[in-house]
């Protein structure tokens, strides 16, 4: 079990003490990965329900400054050496996939192949409309974008004529990502369509749960469905499984450790702690608790993952 942590791209900690310092400190503490979330725009009073709260309300100030995801990851990569970097998650249907292919390949090369691209269909209709895309058609567009990304990462993509994107004959897209297969894509979300896309298109699944609601039986059943669906589509190998654990202010370190153990029992390879950075010492305590729990699991199981 690996343990990663989300960086404070929407918190004052991105400036004080600064994103670079936080990223270095997290790597030195033992974080295996560093993650950022993604919104290109927000609205003051969104009509779109937030899917990860029962009341549908967002839990943050929409007017808070938010760093662009790939720019933030570029700085994190520049000041670290080992930790993998990733998006959890990037709203794929509202991005230009050809432009994104160039940016992500460049970031992957400059980071030494450390990038993983977590992607999702998005939930904020107002944001997607502002960027010129249909919210209703976001699922089909997302699936097409994944195919375009993989085609572009090959360096010499074949001609492609899709519903939303066309690639001409003879297009060149260099540099290529470090790995032959391209940047690993983790499909995020907890809905049945998200799980289906993870099985059909993703290199893995990026699930999400609150720290006090990590149910190993429920998540384990979802992992079973993921692998069964992959088999139906003839996908070989084992999908990577990452769980993002929401840790709001006041989350107890013991609960964070228990959630990490539960994720391991459910068959996940890695957890991401989405922590509040208002108190740096609290974020550090949660990371240490999860790292200790993961270490105990490895010792008990006799394995490294």
């Amino acid at each position: 079990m690996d343990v990663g942590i989300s960086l404070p791209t929407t918190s004052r900690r991105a400036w004080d003490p600064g994103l670079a310092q936080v990223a270095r400190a997290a790597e030195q503490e033992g974080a295996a990965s560093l993650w950022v979330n993604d919104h290109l725009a927000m609205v003051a009073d969104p009509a779109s329900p937030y899917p990860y709260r029962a009341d549908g309300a967002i839990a943050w100030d929409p007017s808070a400054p938010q760093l662009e995801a790939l720019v933030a990851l570029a700085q994190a990569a520049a000041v670290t050496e080992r930790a993998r970097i990733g998006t959890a998650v990037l709203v794929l249907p509202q991005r230009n996939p050809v432009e994104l292919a160039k940016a992500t390949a460049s970031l992957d090369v400059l980071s030494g192949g450390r990038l993983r691209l977590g992607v999702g269909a998005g939930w904020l209709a107002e944001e997607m409309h502002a960027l010129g895309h249909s919210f209703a058609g976001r699922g089909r567009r997302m699936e097409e974008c994944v195919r375009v990304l993989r085609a572009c990462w090959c360096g010499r993509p074949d001609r492609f004529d899709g519903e939303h994107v066309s690639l001409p004959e003879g297009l060149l897209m260099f540099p290529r990502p470090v790995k032959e297969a391209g940047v690993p894509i983790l499909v995020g979300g907890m809905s049945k369509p998200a799980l289906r896309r993870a099985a059909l298109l993703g290199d893995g699944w990026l699930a999400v749960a609150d720290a006090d609601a990590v149910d190993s039986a429920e998540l384990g059943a979802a992992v079973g469905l993921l692998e069964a669906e992959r088999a139906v589509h003839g996908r070989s190998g084992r999908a990577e499984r990452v769980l993002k654990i929401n840790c709001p202010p006041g989350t107890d370190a013991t609960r964070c450790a228990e959630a990490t153990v539960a994720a391991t029992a459910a068959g996940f390879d890695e957890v991401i702690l989405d922590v509040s950075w208002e108190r740096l010492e609290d974020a550090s305590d949660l990371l240490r608790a999860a790292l200790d729990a993961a270490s105990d699991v490895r010792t008990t199981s006799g394995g490294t993952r």
Side-chain angles (χ1 to χ4, degrees):
M1 169 64 70
D2 286 338
V3 178
I5 194 165
S6 291
L7 296 175
T9 55
T10 57
S11 163
R12 64 188 176 90
R13 295 303 183 191
W15 293 267
D16 177 21
L19 185 71
Q21 184 172 328
V22 172
R24 280 195 300 264
E27 182 182 62
Q28 291 167 2
E29 193 79 47
S33 55
L34 306 169
W35 301 80
V36 298
N37 59 15
D38 175 50
H39 278 292
L40 292 174
M42 288 294 297
V43 292
D45 295 301
S48 303
Y50 182 58
Y52 299 113
R53 280 177 58 118
D55 60 5
I58 61 175
W60 66 92
D61 177 4
S63 67
Q66 178 157 3
L67 299 175
E68 196 280 327
L70 299 182
V71 172
L73 283 182
Q75 185 181 44
V79 299
T80 56
E81 297 178 355
R82 301 174 305 280
R84 298 185 297 275
I85 56 173
T87 53
V89 295
L90 184 134
V91 185
L92 184 54
Q94 64 190 26
R95 299 273 183 156
N96 180 308
V98 179
E99 183 178 359
L100 182 63
K102 170 63 77 172
T104 50
S106 300
L107 180 53
D108 188 61
V109 168
L110 292 174
S111 68
R114 289 189 280 155
L115 179 63
R116 284 179 292 174
L117 192 65
V119 299
W123 63 272
L124 185 56
E126 296 94 326
E127 177 186 25
M128 205 164 290
H129 292 158
L131 291 159
H133 300 297
S134 164
F135 186 71
R138 69 193 187 282
R140 293 192 310 276
R141 180 174 170 81
M142 176 176 167
E143 292 177 12
E144 186 170 298
C145 285
V146 170
R147 294 187 173 96
V148 172
L149 284 171
R150 290 218 170 97
C152 289
W153 288 334
C154 290
R156 298 178 183 268
D158 293 334
R159 181 181 178 88
F160 181 92
D161 292 301
E163 180 182 355
H164 305 282
V165 182
S166 295
L167 302 179
E169 200 75 46
L171 192 68
L172 301 176
M173 294 289 296
F174 294 99
R176 296 182 58 189
V178 171
K179 300 179 182 67
E180 185 68 22
V183 175
I185 294 176
L186 309 180
V187 177
M190 299 301 292
S191 67
K192 288 183 178 179
L195 199 60
R196 180 188 64 82
R197 291 189 193 103
L200 178 63
L201 297 171
D203 299 300
W205 178 39
L206 205 162
V208 60
D210 291 336
D212 60 357
V214 177
D215 186 317
S216 60
E218 182 179 327
L219 288 172
V223 167
L225 288 174
L226 171 71
E227 296 301 337
E229 190 76 7
R230 282 175 61 87
V232 167
H233 293 291
R235 302 290 307 280
S236 61
R238 179 182 180 279
E240 187 174 2
R241 307 155 189 174
V242 180
L243 178 64
K244 183 178 181 179
I245 301 176
N246 294 325
C247 304
T251 298
D252 181 78
T254 299
R255 188 68 198 96
C256 187
E258 291 170 349
T260 301
V261 173
T264 305
F268 282 82
D269 307 302
E270 182 172 354
V271 296
I272 306 166
L273 306 182
D274 191 7
V275 302
S276 167
W277 286 96
E278 288 309 303
R279 284 171 48 88
L280 294 173
E281 56 269 35
D282 290 347
S284 182
D285 287 347
L286 294 181
L287 177 57
R288 281 197 299 269
L291 287 167
D292 288 345
S295 178
D296 290 343
V297 168
R298 284 194 292 269
T299 300
T300 301
S301 64
T304 58
R305 291 288 291 263

